[in-house]
Amino acid sequence: MCNDCLVFAASPARVELEAGKSYFICACGRSKDGVFCDGSHKGTDCSPVKLTVNDTKAYTICRCKASASFPFCDGTHSKLKDQVGKHPQL
């Protein structure tokens, strides 16, 4: 987790990803959809996470930015429901 990240949502996003394709996952919580980087991290200490998967299928992507298995959801968002738009405090 970067020091400047924000909880985008207290729920994950289910996203279909294609095997072998590179994706850049938002780590700052400021992108328009909270999943894919759109450059909104500029001016923060955050950088997107490059992700390439081996299997084409739906993945559960973290949008609270505090998952221990980021960029994948581990359920941490359930502890952050009142922190949307704020830095995650666990």
Side-chain angles (χ1 to χ4, degrees), residues 22-71:
S22 293
Y23 297 91
F24 290 89
I25 305 298
C26 171
C28 71
R30 292 171 170 80
S31 70
K32 186 175 183 176
D33 68 4
V35 177
F36 299 107
C37 178
D38 64 8
S40 296
H41 63 276
K42 303 278 192 243
T44 73
D45 75 341
C46 302
S47 296
V49 172
K50 185 177 180 180
L51 175 65
T52 305
V53 295
N54 294 324
D55 299 310
T56 298
K57 66 178 188 175
Y59 290 86
T60 305
I61 304 296
C62 170
R63 294 190 304 162
C64 75
K65 312 308 174 190
S67 170
S69 58
F70 190 82

Side-chain angles (χ1 to χ4, degrees), residues 3-26:
N3 292 326
D4 291 332
C5 72
L6 302 175
V7 176
F8 180 84
S11 63
R14 193 102 169 121
V15 180
E16 184 82 20
L17 301 179
E18 184 180 324
K21 183 176 177 182
S22 293
Y23 297 91
F24 290 89
I25 305 298
C26 171

